């Protein structure tokens, strides 16, 4: 009986484990030693150079620009996306649900299932300077002065890409937050109204504390997402990462180093650094947003 | 009460504006795919003067969107099926049997969800290259399946745990083998879970961009996201605007169809992971 059980377990696990070990575990494990080599180009020869790559990285101005952008996005994107989504969710749930709430949720969520690459191509058209949707719209309503190069202008390039992230990201969190809000018992709102609380107050005193756990999860998702804007930046930015590194982010810089310049050791060092930053920030987010969970 | 109605109206207003902002660019792209280049340049706002279906055939054939589409279908179907097979085997074992090392094994699989894919990118490229699987369907399918396993194992283990052990034991007592129990009782019962995870993986894999970009550099093997992005970036706006819009529309439609068909399960499935 036991013999049969173990043979069964082993035969079920063997293939999946092998696939997972080869394509997931081993690459992650190898990334660390490669980060300590000077491996360049497609030749197989390389030497271990200790922390050399990390020292170079420390003096690499592009890396610092990219890191600064990542940190900026890391703070601003979650704030914008979570605020907007909370606002829309509250509006959708207003007095137990506005008419058409279901349709809104279906429409809002849709960009969230679209490929980031496809969203990138779509918005390339929107931002196109001469015939794009955005400048066309601005000219049509008489705001010609506001029309600009968007992605080609260092001042607006990063902001334009951020707008796309917000456009694509809000729907997911609206659905997430409305689901959490729908679980709040109606009596709590009725009690709040009886106590004289307005819409804003009952949102602050009832809704927000009760869905705080979900907000916290949303923020953690955002932190991970904000470090990885690779596809959008690669497709949307001029250069890519330009103009003049105005939209450079760490993931794109790593990709360029590895697959354009062939600097595999250096790219892995960037990857390891990104990983460490990611770990720290995720832990930090959970600590900062930790609050007593309210049971109801 | 008047205040309440005003507030309700204001909420509706904001909701409508955001809805328009979501729908408008998509609608504009779909409409533009029916226009001539001339129409797009001179009147980007109006309806097409003549509906040009030939944009689609041009995108499908000359811009190779058809080939890319076909490549995507093969890789994604293979990836989804393989992910489901591999993860349900692992999840079933982890949910039903205690054996030495079962806990650590679970964590090894689940840990894959929190590591950034970028870290592993360079070594992954060489792993796939050394196996001779660069620019092959099989290579992408295996990588997709392996990377899809973390979340699927996590999700399906929880799912199998909710199934009654009594049922499995009854099956064993009645003379079913372990395999019989798995295939005749447990997997059929797990169908709803398998369907949810299947839809979830389908969308994720159909939308994947980075992995094919690195592992799939042969132009004939491009997937649809990759192919479209490459056409848009390299030939850009100057050549065939309307054909590009048609290609964009073609690549949006399958996702839109799956989404409209299953939107409830999709939003439930995607948010379930976050609510737990």
């Amino acid at each position: 009986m036991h013999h049969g059980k173990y043979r069964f377990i082993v035969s079920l696990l063997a293939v999946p484990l092998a696939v997972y070990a080869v394509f997931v575990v081993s690459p992650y494990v190898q990334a660390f030693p490669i980060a300590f080599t000077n491996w360049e180009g497609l030749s197989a020869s390389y030497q271990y150079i200790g922390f050399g790559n990390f020292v170079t990285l420390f003096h690499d101005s592009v890396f610092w620009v990219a890191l600064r952008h990542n940190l900026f996005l890391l703070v601003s994107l979650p704030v914008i996306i979570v605020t907007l989504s909370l606002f829309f969710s509250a509006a959708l749930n207003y007095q137990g649900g506005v008419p058409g709430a279901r349709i809104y949720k279906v429409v809002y969520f849709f960009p969230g299932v679209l490929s980031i690459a496809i969203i990138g191509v779509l918005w390339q058209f929107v931002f196109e300077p001469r015939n794009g949707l955005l400048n066309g719209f601005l000219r049509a309503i008489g705001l010609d002065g506001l029309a600009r190069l968007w992605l080609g202008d260092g001042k607006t390039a990063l902001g334009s890409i951020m707008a796309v992230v917000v456009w694509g990201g809000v729907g997911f969190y609206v659905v997430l937050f409305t689901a959490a809000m729908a679980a709040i018992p109606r009596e709590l709102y009725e009690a709040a109204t009886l106590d004289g609380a307005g819409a804003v107050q009952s949102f602050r005193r009832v809704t927000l504390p009760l869905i705080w756990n979900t907000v916290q999860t949303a923020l953690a998702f955002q932190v991970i997402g904000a470090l990885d804007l690779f596809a959008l930046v690669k497709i949307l930015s001029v250069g890519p990462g330009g103009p003049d590194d105005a939209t450079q982010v760490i993931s794109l810089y790593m990709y360029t180093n590895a697959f354009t310049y062939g600097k595999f050791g250096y790219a892995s060092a960037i990857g390891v650094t990104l990983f460490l930053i990611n770990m720290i920030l995720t832990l930090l987010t959970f600590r900062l947003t930790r609050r007593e969970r309210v049971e109801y | 009460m008047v205040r309440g109605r005003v507030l309700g109206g204001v909420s509706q207003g904001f909701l409508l504006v955001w809805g328009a902002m979501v729908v408008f660019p998509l609608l504009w792209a779909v409409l533009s795919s029916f226009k001539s280049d001339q129409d797009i340049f001179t009147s980007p706002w109006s309806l097409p003067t003549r509906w040009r279906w030939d944009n689609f055939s041009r995108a499908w054939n000359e811009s190779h969107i058809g080939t890319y589409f076909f490549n995507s279908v093969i890789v994604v179907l293979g990836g989804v099926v393989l992910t489901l097979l591999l993860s349900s085997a692992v999840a079933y074992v982890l949910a039903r049997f205690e054996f030495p090392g079962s806990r650590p094994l679970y964590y090894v699989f689940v840990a894959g969800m929190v590591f950034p894919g970028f870290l592993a990118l360079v070594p992954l490229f060489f792993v796939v290259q050394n196996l001779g699987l660069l620019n092959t369907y099989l290579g992408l399918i295996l990588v997709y399946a392996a990377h899809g396993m973390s979340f699927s194992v996590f999700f399906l283990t929880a799912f199998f745990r909710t199934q009654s052990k009594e049922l499995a034991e009854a099956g064993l007592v009645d003379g079913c083998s372990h395999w019989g129990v798995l295939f005749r009782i447990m997997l059929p019962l797990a169908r709803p879970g398998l369907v949810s995870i299947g839809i979830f993986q389908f969308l994720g894999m159909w939308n994947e961009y980075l992995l094919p970009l690195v592992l799939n550099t042969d132009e004939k093997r491009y997937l649809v996201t990759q192919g479209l992005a490459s056409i848009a970036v390299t030939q850009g706006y100057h050549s065939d605007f309307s054909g590009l819009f048609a290609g964009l529309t073609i690549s949006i439609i399958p996702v839109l169809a799956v989404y409209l068909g299953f939107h409830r399960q999709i939003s439930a499935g995607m948010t379930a992971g976050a609510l737990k």
Side-chain angles (χ1 to χ4, degrees), chain B residues 4 14-15 22 31 34 42 61 70 92 97-98 119 127 133 142 148 157 167 189 205 218-219 249 259 268 272-273:
Chain B
F14 281 115
L15 291 171
V22 170
L31 276 180
F34 288 102
T42 52
N61 297 315
F70 178 69
Y92 180 68
F97 301 101
E98 280 289 334
L119 178 60
V127 165
L133 292 172
L142 285 169
T157 305
L167 217 55
L189 282 175
M205 291 178 189
D218 178 358
E219 222 172 293
T249 304
Y259 178 61

Side-chain angles (χ1 to χ4, degrees), chain A residues 67-131:
Chain A
L67 183 64
R68 217 179 53 225
H69 289 152
N70 273 119
L71 291 178
F72 168 68
L73 294 167
L74 191 75
V75 176
S76 53
L77 281 176
V79 171
I80 300 171
I81 291 181
V82 167
T83 310
L84 271 178
S85 319
L86 278 173
F87 177 75
F88 291 133
S89 315
L92 281 171
N93 266 356
Y94 183 71
Q95 291 187 339
V98 294
R102 266 194 49 208
I103 299 173
Y104 282 125
K105 279 193 273 181
V106 173
V107 170
Y108 287 8
F109 198 83
F110 179 56
V113 297
L114 273 185
S115 163
I116 305 287
I118 288 171
I119 291 179
V121 174
L122 172 69
W123 279 83
Q124 214 180 22
F125 291 133
V126 174
F127 287 131
E128 208 274 337
R130 276 164 307 151
N131 310 296

Side-chain angles (χ1 to χ4, degrees), chain A residues 39-52:
Chain A
W39 189 5
E40 281 193 26
L42 286 166
S43 78
S45 71
Y46 55 81
Q47 285 127 25
Y48 282 91
I49 52 164
F51 284 90

Side-chain angles (χ1 to χ4, degrees), chain B residues 14-195:
Chain B
F14 281 115
L15 291 171
L16 265 175
V17 168
W18 187 262
M21 279 170 66
V22 170
V23 172
F24 221 80
L26 291 162
L27 202 64
W28 176 71
V30 172
L31 276 180
S32 298
S33 66
F34 288 102
K35 294 178 173 179
S36 64
D37 280 346
Q38 187 65 24
D39 270 356
I40 293 174
F41 293 137
T42 52
S43 47
W45 284 84
S46 51
L47 287 172
T49 44
R50 196 159 65 77
W51 294 74
R52 291 180 167 270
W53 292 91
D54 58 303
N55 291 338
F56 286 87
S57 57
R58 209 168 58 249
W60 188 263
N61 297 315
E62 284 167 39
S63 305
H64 308 296
I65 297 288
T67 316
Y68 302 156
F69 200 92
F70 178 69
N71 293 338
S72 275
V73 169
I74 292 181
V75 169
V76 170
L77 283 185
V80 170
V81 170
L82 192 60
T83 309
L84 287 178
L85 280 174
L86 298 178
S87 353
S88 50
V90 174
Y92 180 68
V93 169
L94 289 176
R96 242 184 69 67
F97 301 101
E98 280 289 334
F99 55 93
S102 65
R103 285 259 101 191
L105 195 62
Y106 175 74
Y107 287 118
V108 166
F109 276 106
V110 173
M113 289 195 294
V114 282
F115 279 66
F118 265 95
L119 178 60
L121 205 55
V122 169
L124 180 65
F125 173 82
F126 288 102
V127 165
V128 175
Q129 189 187 44
N130 291 338
L131 291 170
L133 292 172
L134 274 188
N135 300 322
T136 63
Y137 293 137
L138 182 64
L140 277 182
I141 290 172
L142 285 169
V143 171
Y144 276 19
H147 282 84
M149 276 168 82
S150 287
F151 182 73
S152 307
V153 165
F154 167 73
F155 184 94
L156 289 173
T157 305
F159 198 89
F160 278 122
R161 283 217 177 102
T162 61
Q163 294 186 333
S164 79
K165 289 209 175 194
E166 288 79 37
L167 217 55
E169 266 141 33
L172 287 177
V173 171
D174 285 349
C176 243
S177 65
H178 281 295
W179 289 102
V181 170
L182 173 61
F183 282 110
R184 290 207 211 140
I185 305 174
M186 298 323 254
L187 278 184
L189 282 175
R191 245 181 68 186
L194 292 172
V195 169

Side-chain angles (χ1 to χ4, degrees), chain A residues 1 219 265:
Chain A
M1 188 68 212
L219 288 171

Side-chain angles (χ1 to χ4, degrees), chain A residues 1 4-9 11-13 15-17 19-20 22-28 30-32 34 39 41-42 84 87-89 91-92 94-95 98-100 102 104-119 121-134 136-138 140 151 166-168 170-172 175-176 179-180 198-200 214 217 221 224 227-228 230-231 234-235 251-252 254-255 258-259 264 267-268 271-275 278-279 293, chain B residues 1 3-5 7-8 10-12 14-19 21-26 28-29 40-42 44-45 82 85-87 89-90 92-94 97-100 105 108-129 131 133 139 142-143 145-147 149-150 172 178-179 182 203 206-210 213-214 224-226 228-229 232-233 237 241 244-245 248 251-252 255-256 259-260 263-264 266-268 270-276:
Chain A
M1 188 68 212
K5 180 183 138 189
Y6 279 108
R7 197 154 60 187
F8 176 72
I9 292 175
S11 54
L12 271 183
L13 284 185
V15 177
L17 256 182
V19 171
Y20 192 74
V22 170
F23 294 103
V24 179
V25 178
S26 93
Y28 279 121
Q30 289 177 56
F32 292 92
I34 296 176
W39 189 5
L42 286 166
L84 271 178
F87 177 75
F88 291 133
S89 315
L92 281 171
Y94 183 71
Q95 291 187 339
V98 294
R102 266 194 49 208
Y104 282 125
K105 279 193 273 181
V106 173
V107 170
Y108 287 8
F109 198 83
F110 179 56
V113 297
L114 273 185
S115 163
I116 305 287
I118 288 171
I119 291 179
V121 174
L122 172 69
W123 279 83
Q124 214 180 22
F125 291 133
V126 174
F127 287 131
E128 208 274 337
R130 276 164 307 151
N131 310 296
L133 185 66
L134 184 54
F137 175 74
L138 290 171
L151 297 168
V166 173
W167 180 83
V170 162
F172 175 83
V175 172
L176 188 67
V200 176
T214 314
T217 317
F221 269 32
I224 298 167
L227 286 173
D228 185 9
F230 172 80
K234 173 132 173 45
I235 294 169
S251 50
L252 180 65
M254 177 190 165
Y255 172 87
F259 298 102
F264 298 115
S268 284
V272 169
T273 312
L274 183 65
F275 164 69
N278 204 337
M279 289 299 271
R293 186 177 186 166
Chain B
M1 266 304 92
R3 222 179 112 228
R5 212 170 315 137
L7 214 57
V10 171
S11 323
Q12 274 283 8
F14 281 115
L15 291 171
L16 265 175
V17 168
W18 187 262
M21 279 170 66
V22 170
V23 172
F24 221 80
L26 291 162
W28 176 71
I40 293 174
F41 293 137
T42 52
W45 284 84
L82 192 60
L85 280 174
L86 298 178
S87 353
V90 174
Y92 180 68
V93 169
L94 289 176
F97 301 101
E98 280 289 334
F99 55 93
L105 195 62
V108 166
F109 276 106
V110 173
M113 289 195 294
V114 282
F115 279 66
F118 265 95
L119 178 60
L121 205 55
V122 169
L124 180 65
F125 173 82
F126 288 102
V127 165
V128 175
Q129 189 187 44
L131 291 170
L133 292 172
L142 285 169
V143 171
H147 282 84
M149 276 168 82
S150 287
L172 287 177
H178 281 295
W179 289 102
L182 173 61
L203 288 170
W206 186 266
N207 289 338
E208 182 61 50
Y209 177 64
L210 176 66
L213 190 68
V214 171
V224 76
T225 47
Q226 191 189 4
L228 194 71
V233 169
Y237 309 111
F241 228 106
L244 251 172
F245 273 115
L248 186 66
S251 44
I252 290 176
V255 185
L256 183 64
Y259 178 61
L260 290 181
H263 65 88
R264 203 168 314 189
I266 291 170
S267 39
M270 282 175 76
T271 48
L275 284 169
K276 251 166 217 145

